Amino acid sequence: MSVPATVVGGGLAGCEAALRLARGGREVRLVEMRPIRNTPAHRSELLGELVCTNSFKSEDTANAHGQLKREMRTLGSVLLDCADRARVAAGSALAVDRHIFAEAMTRAVEAEPRIHVVREECAGMPDGPAVIATGPLTSDALSASIRALLGDDGLAFFDAIAPIVDRDGLDDSIVFAAGRFDEDADYLNCPMSRPEYEAFVAAVREGESHEGHDWDAVPYFEGCLPIEVMAARGVDTLRFGPMKPIGLTDPRTGARPWAVVQLRREDAAGQMWNMVGFQTRLKIGEQRRIFSMIPGLAGAEFLRWGSIHRNSYLNFPARLTAAGAPPGRPDVLFAGQLTGVEGYTESAASGILAGINLARVLAGLEPVVPPPTTMLGALLRYLREADPRRFQPMNSNWGLVEPLPMDVRDKQKKRELLAERAQADFLAWMGVHGIAPAARVDAGASSVGASA
Ligand SMILES: Cc1cc2nc3c(=O)[nH]c(=O)nc-3n(C[C@H](O)[C@H](O)[C@H](O)COP(=O)(O)OP(=O)(O)OC[C@H]3O[C@@H](n4cnc5c(N)ncnc54)[C@H](O)[C@@H]3O)c2cc1C
């Protein structure tokens, strides 16, 4: 008889991993702590519960989230099958009735004869083969065990995310490349005059932020304060902090600007630029409005929005193998939001891959990861190659994906070409490694509302 696998966490990633393993013929013990022990955000004992929005975002494949879903469907995602059954009308987005969705996920898992669901808290690292997908609210006991394995800097409890902008949308007549005191020219700089700066600070001060819950209260560190907290301290605080202009000369004026927003390269291809020191709890609409006031960013596309919240995630690039295994334990794979991917579908996709790879490892095969021309492969490349000193979670976006070999100016056309190539490469990757879609589930839930 084959060795059974343990999957810890019955959330989006854990359910996908367990179903993938079970449908491949493996016995699975799925350990979920709810309702014995609850997280501060979950409200039910259902598997696959959505803790916040009921939307899985766009289905348009020229949209990064749409392409990720297409790759997941190609792999036979159970989450998307259940989402189709629980769909509510939401234009081009895939939105669901959250209760029908979670019931469908629970039924899909419970209907699988090879999955044995155990309701208990997993307090330590499992001894045998396992997928660990305990999410952003991993319990304290398991967190302590993970830290014992990976070191104190191997697991963070809060993220502090600065927005990322797409290189294509920057205004090159304003933004200039330079490092402070010319030590390097690796940064892009958005210069501000005094009136521009003061208007910006006033807008940040008045901007609406997320209130958050008590359990989500972030212990701010002085070196990593949200920009709105700095702005509230005094009009010059940001100018003496992340927006300091020291060592920078605007080539248009030959003078030092009053303040500067610096952008740091986030990827080797230079498609994604991180707004240095701009971690924030401003609401997304406010970020869009206020950050567009920054000279050079009026037409920028934001690939990732800033945020700061309670979020357990591993230092993947420093501590895990390409497939998400800790040192010396190739038969244990981390998956889901815990690995540093951000979002429902990103987490679920990572769970499918962990299921595929644990099955491969147990069959004596090497784990595999899709190429960086695909959305899932590009996300995984980010986890592997991001700077471990400032690793922060990432959602799917086109800036992660390997650029096209030719220059395409039209943004829509470019994204259609990227999506076309991603899908072709994803299918080729599956073919080379003999990966077939898992059989579709009959979760028994009916569709509600009109589909998009
Ligand atoms: C408050 C909040 C709001 C969010 N809002 C959004 C949003 O709007 N959109 C979005 O895309 N993403 C959102 N996220 C992120 C979202 O949680 C993830 O994208 C997604 O749920 C992650 O899937 P997962 O399977 O990795 O973790 P989860 O879905 O959280 O599943 C993890 C499971 O592991 C269980 N567990 C934890 N510890 C143990 C243990 N020791 N033993 C056994 N079981 C354990 C938990 O009970 C849970 O069921 C939000 C997160 C939080 C915390």
Side-chain angles (χ1 to χ4, degrees), residues 1-5 21 24-28 114 129 362:
M1 205 182 90
S2 67
V3 186
L21 283 158
R26 179 97 19 204
E27 295 293 320
V28 178
R114 293 195 188 90
L362 294 175

Side-chain angles (χ1 to χ4, degrees), residues 64-344:
H65 297 283
Q67 176 55 31
L68 181 65
K69 281 195 270 298
R70 178 153 64 157
E71 292 168 16
M72 291 168 68
R73 285 191 192 280
T74 313
L75 289 171
S77 164
V78 178
L79 174 141
L80 291 177
D81 206 15
C82 294
D84 287 340
R85 292 158 189 268
R87 189 188 273 267
V88 295
S92 63
L94 173 55
V96 296
D97 175 311
R98 67 180 68 243
H99 189 73
I100 293 177
F101 169 77
E103 276 187 342
M105 290 286 280
T106 307
R107 263 203 295 276
V109 170
E110 289 177 350
E112 177 52 59
R114 293 195 188 90
I115 301 180
H116 177 49
V117 180
V118 180
R119 300 283 183 163
E120 67 183 28
E121 180 185 6
C122 171
M125 293 294 293
D127 291 331
V131 171
I132 300 181
T134 44
L137 303 170
T138 293
S139 75
D140 292 347
L142 184 59
S143 296
S145 299
I146 294 173
R147 278 200 151 188
L149 178 73
L150 299 181
D152 282 352
D153 62 349
L155 174 67
F157 294 111
F158 295 93
D159 57 34
I161 294 180
I164 290 179
V165 289
D166 189 8
R167 177 69 185 87
D168 284 349
L170 304 182
D171 184 341
D172 286 321
S173 70
I174 299 174
V175 173
F176 63 94
R180 294 188 198 286
F181 307 110
D182 287 335
E183 82 271 17
D184 57 52
D186 291 346
Y187 289 80
L188 295 178
N189 301 279
C190 308
M192 278 190 188
S193 65
R194 184 172 185 168
E196 285 167 337
Y197 172 78
E198 288 177 356
F200 176 75
V201 171
V204 172
R205 281 175 163 180
E206 285 158 15
E208 213 183 326
S209 297
H210 283 289
E211 296 299 330
H213 310 273
D214 289 349
W215 54 267
D216 199 23
V218 179
Y220 295 138
F221 302 106
E222 273 302 306
C224 191
L225 291 172
I227 56 158
E228 57 275 15
V229 172
M230 283 187 268
R233 285 186 175 179
V235 70
D236 281 327
T237 308
L238 279 167
R239 213 167 70 80
F240 289 105
M243 295 179 70
K244 62 178 176 291
I246 296 168
L248 295 167
T249 303
D250 185 344
R252 290 179 310 167
T253 61
R256 178 193 290 183
W258 186 254
V260 165
V261 175
Q262 283 207 301
L263 307 176
R264 184 180 56 232
R265 183 188 289 266
E266 186 75 29
D267 63 321
Q271 302 185 102
M272 303 164 68
W273 291 79
N274 184 309
M275 295 173 65
V276 180
F278 264 59
Q279 54 278 353
T280 178
R281 292 193 100 167
L282 286 171
K283 290 187 169 170
I284 287 177
E286 294 290 72
Q287 292 187 44
R288 184 182 289 117
R289 178 177 70 81
I290 297 168
F291 296 161
S292 300
M293 294 168 68
I294 297 170
L297 300 194
E301 182 186 353
F302 288 80
L303 298 171
R304 182 180 75 180
W305 295 105
S307 66
I308 304 179
H309 39 47
R310 169 84 173 79
N311 187 7
S312 302
Y313 67 97
L314 304 170
N315 191 338
F316 194 113
R319 295 283 180 270
L320 302 183
T321 65
R329 289 294 309 270
D331 62 338
V332 172
L333 298 178
F334 287 99
Q337 181 122 342
L338 190 55
T339 60
V341 296
E342 169 89 27
Y344 294 157

